[in-house]
Amino acid sequence: MTIVGNVGDDTELHGLHVSPDLDSLLYTLTDRNDEERGWGRRGETWSAHDTLKELGDDEAWFQLGDRDLGLHLVRTKGLKAGQTLSQVTAYVAAAFGLEAPLLPATDDRLRTIIETEAGNFGLQEWFVERAHEDEVDGVHFEGAASARPAPGVLEAIDQASLVVLAPSNPYISIWPILAVSAIRTTVQQKRAPVVGVSPVIGGKAVKGPADAMLKRLAGGTSPAHVAGCYPGLLDALVIDHADAAGADAVAAARVRPHVTRTLMSDRRAARLLAEAVLEAARGGVMRE
């Protein structure tokens, strides 16, 4: 298994390069994530952040824990020494004991920009500092036109017997990866199955603004609206029982619906969802 991670969330804070999505993957897959808070490292402390607030730092709106800062220091040091983001990520992943390759979509600078009536904002500024309260009029990806896939990304997709688009927000987690044109083309040309997992249950996101963005940008939160975020890419879409009524509309769009329980409330539920994804893939390729 190879994981290709989103770097559109990356930002520079306090002189450090922060890669929130890559770090969330690292923490989750090496059993370091804080499951109660839903982000960051378990057992985190906040002494550095408290000092930033005490000193009135204008970037203290973004919470960086002490353990988290250690990772950002190592990443920034490596990048300043001339290493690529994928090289630094591989080093940290190995140090954390992650066996599966974790690849950033690109080593080039690519940033998700959220378009709103109040102006355009970087992803973290809109999501964290402004609490994603501004309605989204559009999304674009700064640097995408010249971004190249990181080493190993196209090869991993090309050789895969199955490509899975995770149940993440299409617009701000999956689209930034597909914004690298060579990645999108390679996925689109896959002869092996491409299976997506819907990020909504009963038309609502488990967490985050995916449902609000789907309503605003796609016109609704049904399985068909989710499938519409990935035109020409999906062979199957895994949806929750709560959204089963929308299965026919997905099939009408020539994407196979696969209905199961998608809420990953614990490891057993996550394993069952993974098995359902494999089952959905066994239905064969429908794309033309």
Side-chain angles (χ1 to χ4, degrees):
M1 182 177 69
T2 298
I3 305 110
V4 178
N6 163 39
V7 297
D9 288 20
D10 284 22
T11 190
E12 291 73 36
L13 293 163
H14 316 297
L16 301 177
H17 185 110
V18 181
S19 296
D21 271 23
L22 294 179
D23 295 346
S24 291
L25 287 163
L26 276 168
Y27 295 155
T28 300
L29 295 172
T30 60
D31 195 26
R32 287 172 167 82
N33 64 308
D34 189 323
E35 294 182 357
E36 289 187 13
R37 195 168 60 237
W39 56 273
R41 287 191 63 166
R42 185 171 59 247
E44 189 62 276
T45 55
W46 304 95
S47 297
H49 181 69
D50 289 345
T51 300
L52 288 168
K53 290 196 297 182
E54 183 182 7
L55 295 173
D57 188 273
D58 62 0
E59 293 179 331
W61 53 266
F62 194 94
Q63 295 185 55
L64 294 175
D66 300 327
R67 291 170 179 262
D68 209 24
L69 275 168
L71 170 54
H72 305 321
L73 286 165
V74 168
R75 177 187 292 116
T76 305
K77 180 180 178 181
L79 293 173
K80 286 185 176 180
Q83 293 182 311
T84 63
L85 181 60
S86 55
Q87 288 173 329
V88 175
T89 303
Y91 170 79
V92 175
F96 279 9
L98 178 61
E99 295 182 8
L102 173 60
L103 309 177
T106 179
D107 285 331
D108 298 321
R109 189 182 187 280
L110 186 150
R111 296 292 182 267
T112 300
I113 305 298
I114 304 296
E115 303 166 7
T116 78
E117 285 189 359
N120 293 352
F121 302 100
L123 191 282
Q124 297 303 333
E125 186 180 3
W126 170 76
F127 189 85
V128 180
E129 185 177 21
R130 301 178 67 86
H132 53 81
E133 292 180 351
D134 304 281
E135 290 190 327
V136 180
D137 295 323
V139 181
H140 69 269
F141 305 99
E142 195 175 82
S146 58
R148 300 155 297 174
V153 171
L154 297 187
E155 293 81 359
I157 296 171
D158 211 33
Q159 296 167 15
S161 58
L162 166 65
V163 174
V164 180
L165 303 186
S168 299
N169 186 315
Y171 301 103
I172 60 176
S173 292
I174 306 297
W175 277 18
I177 299 172
L178 297 173
V180 181
S181 60
I183 295 179
R184 185 182 189 91
T185 298
T186 302
V187 173
Q188 195 163 20
Q189 293 176 346
K190 278 293 291 182
R191 300 308 305 162
V194 177
V195 178
V197 183
S198 174
V200 296
I201 297 175
K204 296 182 179 180
V206 176
K207 64 177 182 178
D211 48 358
M213 294 184 76
L214 280 162
K215 287 177 184 176
R216 181 84 168 168
L217 301 176
T221 61
S222 72
H225 289 108
V226 174
C229 292
Y230 306 115
L233 296 181
L234 293 179
D235 298 301
L237 180 67
V238 177
I239 63 176
D240 192 81
H241 286 293
D243 299 295
D248 288 346
V250 173
R254 296 194 56 77
V255 176
R256 285 192 319 278
H258 188 91
V259 181
T260 187
R261 183 177 182 271
T262 62
L263 182 63
M264 291 181 280
S265 53
D266 52 36
R267 292 194 177 189
R268 180 178 179 276
R271 180 179 293 275
L272 290 173
L273 176 57
E275 292 174 356
V277 169
L278 294 175
E279 187 178 339
R282 285 192 285 268
V285 177
M286 286 183 64
R287 283 172 296 156
E288 296 180 340

